[in-house]
Amino acid sequence: MSIPQTTDGTTQLEPLKITPDDPRYLAVIDKRFNKRFAASPDYIRLVSSTEQVMAAVEDAVREGLRLAVTSGGHCLEGFVSDPEVRVIIDVSPMKRIYHDVERSAVAVEAGATVGETFKALFDNWGVVLPLGEYPGIGMGGHVPGGAFGFLCRQLGLAVDYLYAVEVVTVGPDGRAIPVIATREISDPHRELWWAHTGGGAGNFGVVTCYWFRAPGAFGDDPAKLLPRAPESITTFKAEWEWRDIDAASFLQLLRNHGSWCERNSSADSSYASLWTLLEVHRRQFGKIIIRGVSTADADAGRQVDELLAALSEGLPAPGGRELARMSWLEFALDPFPDLFGMPPGGVSVKVKDALLKKRLNDRQVGVAYEHLTRSDLDVMGGMLGFASYGGWVNTVAADATASAQREAILDMACTTGWLDPREEAANLAWVRAFHADLFADSGGVPVPDEACDGAFINHPDTDLADPAFNTSGVPWHTLYYQAGYPRLQLVKARWDPRDVFRHALSIRAA
Ligand SMILES: Cc1cc2nc3c(=O)[nH]c(=O)nc-3n(C[C@H](O)[C@H](O)[C@H](O)COP(=O)(O)OP(=O)(O)OC[C@H]3O[C@@H](n4cnc5c(N)ncnc54)[C@H](O)[C@@H]3O)c2cc1C
């Protein structure tokens, strides 16, 4: 446990309490990425230590106030920014990243961001974790959702490296109890560790710290406890003009892309070192973009050329080809600025995700063409995205972690983003109709079957729990957790008997 120090070196046990009249209140409320939702808690607790988390949790429970935890503010749904939440506990002051000699692991406190973690791992030891793509994401909310990123095809998920987690839980009497749960078979708290390897954030308690160590790694040299960072990164981008694409060439492009992913997504593929994103923007945007990252160093240019040749078979070659080489850290701290850059004031977004074991079938590609070229709606931010997946992710057994989806080759998402609240209705209508039509054969949602691996809890979509959108008869938790849900329910009953930690898609106790 870390003991907080004040500037005069004494220990501070009381967490900072921030009320709406304090200028820091708005800073916490406003750090949310998705401006679609807004919170208005009675107060916010800024916590710097496990003891402060315990005090903050006990106060809220004693006062009977609904609480939520925040780290980086990158929740895609309103789990934190929920008007019913009366207390927000913000762990972002807890940012220490250090080598824990006793546990032979690298400790990362839950308030560190993905970017801060990448930087500390790289600068101190030249190592890396396969964390998510956006540096502003908080480790607190990111890791328990499984966490995939640019390096997933060669390194797997971040939770595949999770050795231990510290969680402040709440007992039946309302007392806060800090628990360290490890993946050691002999650990009586092992199930709590397991639940944090894909069970989703905000379910069991407040995470204060993670410890990471690669399976099979040992010793006291932190540079050997995690994978070595890539020698270099090569990014690429190329694009097709929508005006050159009709229904037939659209079908050809998506077949080419999907077949390439089907052929090249095993862990031993020479393309496991290549991660790609196909951004099929709506036609009104004008472009379809393929971009990606290779860690193949001197071989990266050849990899990219081969990919682009395969994708454009029977089509005009994409234009505007860009290739750039840089260090891993330079890339990781500012990946694809043209993709992730946000306008002042931020955006509202809706993401509807699906993990695919196979490429979209021709009917689904026809649906995509129809919705992406619809001109009766003005939805400039609408897009169908395909991030390549699989590779090393799929070498881990489905029940070894709570990240059950270990057969997918693509993470696909129908997304849209807007600036003006008046545009919300049209954007939501478009993205919901698109997703429902794509999965019309399975009740409007990505039911796990031979072509689909369900959905990813780090990209939560509350529509999956709404019978108006999910007519499959398959509950939302099967889409996210498959056979692991009953096990998560037991963990919930054991560690959060009062259901203190809950949101629209939280685990319900067994
Ligand atoms: C632009 C963008 C890019 C993304 N890219 C990826 C990606 O590449 N890969 C990927 O896997 N995911 C990605 N995500 C999803 C992201 O991992 C999740 O939204 C994650 O939950 C965000 O965590 P946070 O701490 O930033 O968010 P917050 O909004 O602070 O919290 C999100 C959830 O986690 C809970 N939580 C936060 N901190 C704690 C804690 N200390 N203890 C317990 N619960 C906590 C909250 O209560 C809430 O339920 C992306 C999201 C965005 C917006």
Side-chain angles (χ1 to χ4, degrees):
M1 272 185 238
S2 54
I3 304 292
Q5 300 287 307
T6 57
T7 44
D8 64 1
T10 56
T11 299
Q12 182 187 317
L13 289 176
E14 266 306 297
L16 211 57
K17 184 171 183 173
I18 295 173
T19 46
D21 54 349
D22 187 306
R24 291 167 293 183
Y25 180 92
L26 188 61
V28 175
I29 300 292
D30 255 9
K31 75 175 173 180
R32 73 201 189 285
F33 175 88
N34 190 353
K35 304 302 184 203
R36 187 175 158 218
F37 305 102
S40 51
D42 299 348
Y43 63 85
I44 291 164
R45 293 287 201 175
L46 270 183
V47 289
S48 313
S49 69
T50 301
E51 291 75 8
Q52 290 193 2
V53 172
M54 291 167 65
V57 167
E58 281 186 1
D59 283 353
V61 171
R62 192 177 48 252
E63 291 160 3
L65 298 178
R66 166 99 180 259
L67 68 81
V69 194
T70 190
S71 173
H74 279 67
C75 192
L76 290 164
E77 287 285 3
F79 297 167
V80 178
S81 299
D82 178 340
E84 288 185 17
V85 166
R86 304 272 38 99
V87 178
I88 292 182
I89 298 177
D90 185 350
V91 300
S92 57
M94 302 180 72
K95 287 182 182 294
R96 288 191 314 153
I97 298 171
Y98 57 95
H99 175 213
D100 183 331
V101 180
E102 214 177 292
R103 290 204 170 79
S104 197
V106 173
V108 181
E109 288 187 342
T113 63
V114 162
E116 288 161 349
T117 308
F118 279 144
K119 182 163 169 47
L121 295 180
F122 189 88
D123 286 350
N124 292 329
W125 307 295
V127 297
V128 74
L129 277 167
L131 297 165
E133 292 146 22
Y134 196 67
I137 300 169
M139 292 291 279
H142 182 53
V143 174
F148 81 95
F150 299 117
L151 302 178
C152 67
R153 283 163 58 89
Q154 53 192 321
L155 295 178
L157 301 179
V159 289
D160 298 338
Y161 299 81
L162 186 66
Y163 171 70
V165 58
E166 182 182 70
V167 193
V168 172
T169 62
V170 176
D173 57 357
R175 304 285 297 180
I177 311 160
V179 184
I180 294 179
T182 74
R183 69 179 177 219
E184 298 293 347
I185 299 292
S186 57
D187 186 342
H189 305 324
R190 189 174 191 274
E191 284 299 283
L192 186 60
W193 162 82
W194 182 84
H196 284 84
T197 60
N203 279 305
F204 310 104
V206 183
V207 176
T208 54
C209 191
Y210 302 101
W211 286 264
F212 295 97
R213 189 209 302 157
F218 59 91
D220 51 15
D221 180 358
K224 300 216 167 86
L225 295 175
L226 292 175
R228 201 176 143 82
E231 297 296 325
S232 71
I233 284 291
T234 302
T235 62
F236 76 94
K237 182 179 164 193
E239 51 199 39
W240 290 267
E241 299 293 335
W242 251 116
R243 63 171 177 265
D244 299 333
I245 303 285
D246 59 12
S249 49
F250 185 79
L251 176 61
Q252 183 72 47
L253 174 59
L254 263 65
R255 274 184 183 164
N256 289 350
H257 172 261
S259 311
W260 187 92
C261 292
E262 287 177 347
R263 288 195 308 275
N264 296 296
S265 294
S266 65
D268 58 3
S269 163
S270 62
Y271 292 102
S273 53
L274 181 65
W275 176 93
T276 64
L277 175 66
L278 180 66
E279 299 163 36
V280 193
H281 294 272
R282 268 175 52 84
R283 184 158 61 188
Q284 71 184 113
F285 180 85
K287 291 180 192 310
I288 296 174
I289 299 171
I290 179 78
R291 69 171 86 224
V293 184
S294 169
T295 59
D297 213 32
D299 222 16
R302 180 193 57 79
Q303 264 189 345
V304 172
D305 287 342
E306 287 174 4
L307 171 80
L308 295 181
L311 261 50
S312 43
E313 233 179 271
L315 296 168
R321 182 179 179 280
E322 292 170 10
L323 210 64
R325 189 164 179 269
M326 62 197 80
S327 78
W328 158 250
L329 191 64
E330 182 187 352
F331 168 72
L333 295 185
D334 190 16
F336 301 122
D338 64 316
L339 176 66
F340 287 121
M342 286 298 139
V347 289
S348 296
V349 298
K350 179 69 184 171
V351 175
K352 296 183 71 69
D353 176 75
L355 285 158
L356 305 182
K357 296 179 189 172
K358 293 186 178 160
R359 69 176 185 86
L360 292 185
N361 62 37
D362 289 356
R363 181 198 70 77
Q364 290 173 310
V365 175
V367 165
Y369 184 79
E370 186 196 320
H371 285 274
L372 291 161
T373 58
R374 263 177 83 174
S375 53
D376 57 324
L377 285 173
D378 180 17
V379 180
M380 181 56 105
M383 185 180 99
L384 175 64
F386 296 91
S388 59
Y389 202 73
W392 207 253
V393 175
N394 294 348
T395 62
V396 175
D399 62 353
T401 66
S403 300
Q405 293 91 353
R406 298 292 185 162
E407 291 182 70
I409 58 165
L410 284 164
D411 179 57
M412 186 198 80
C414 302
T415 64
T416 188
W418 61 95
L419 302 176
D420 184 336
R422 287 170 300 184
E423 296 167 3
E424 175 169 313
N427 277 272
L428 288 180
W430 176 79
V431 77
R432 284 174 166 154
F434 183 10
H435 199 255
D437 287 352
L438 274 178
F439 294 102
D441 294 340
S442 53
V445 295
V447 173
D449 59 18
E450 68 285 348
C452 194
D453 213 0
F456 181 57
I457 193 61
N458 257 359
H459 295 165
D461 173 11
T462 53
D463 292 351
L464 298 188
D466 184 338
F469 301 108
N470 178 357
T471 58
S472 67
V474 178
W476 64 270
H477 46 78
T478 302
L479 305 180
Y480 287 117
Y481 302 117
Q482 301 183 13
Y485 190 63
R487 198 169 157 188
L488 289 168
Q489 289 185 287
L490 292 174
V491 178
K492 177 76 175 177
R494 164 75 178 83
W495 292 106
D496 186 20
R498 297 168 66 116
D499 201 19
V500 171
F501 301 95
R502 62 182 187 276
H503 52 70
L505 293 180
S506 57
I507 311 290
R508 310 322 190 228

